[in-house]
Amino acid sequence: ANGSTAAGAATRGPSRSEWLEQLTPIVTEVLELKPGQLSRTGDFINDYGADSLRAIDIIARIEQDLDVRIPDEAMPQLTNLDAVVDLVARYSAQADPDA
């Protein structure tokens, strides 16, 4: 398999690292952080002083910019950047292409 990744058919849509690349600037902007300030595991509330309205803003931006719908009940899981990437990857894969 001359060096190419074997993920192929199993992977639909962007990879986790591609989502991370797209989501980092969105979350950085919503949390009003400087580029490079956001870590993947930094807690939005405890480390960055975010409130629940920021989670709503993050979801709204994801839906607007990336066309991925995150259900409201998933909002409490938006605790850090890694969690956001996981949710976006999960819900983008579930998306109905005809929706």
Side-chain angles (χ1 to χ4, degrees):
N2 58 16
S4 67
T5 58
T11 310
R12 290 204 318 249
S15 69
R16 202 176 184 290
S17 60
E18 287 167 331
W19 281 127
L20 183 65
E21 216 169 278
Q22 293 184 63
L23 288 161
T24 300
I26 291 173
V27 175
T28 297
E29 191 180 312
V30 170
L31 297 182
E32 298 177 0
L33 301 173
K34 294 184 181 75
Q37 254 191 314
L38 181 66
S39 79
R40 288 170 52 180
T41 55
D43 186 277
F44 291 163
I45 293 169
N46 296 325
D47 295 330
Y48 303 118
D51 56 26
S52 56
L53 290 176
R54 298 286 186 196
I56 296 168
D57 288 346
I58 290 169
I59 287 178
R61 283 289 302 275
I62 290 168
E63 292 183 350
Q64 179 187 326
D65 296 5
L66 305 178
D67 204 28
V68 175
R69 301 201 74 70
I70 307 289
D72 291 343
E73 60 268 20
M75 202 179 301
Q77 296 167 48
L78 295 176
T79 53
N80 61 35
L81 183 58
D82 265 352
V84 174
V85 172
D86 287 341
L87 283 170
V88 169
R90 182 185 323 151
Y91 287 108
S92 68
Q94 288 180 4
D96 178 4
D98 303 320

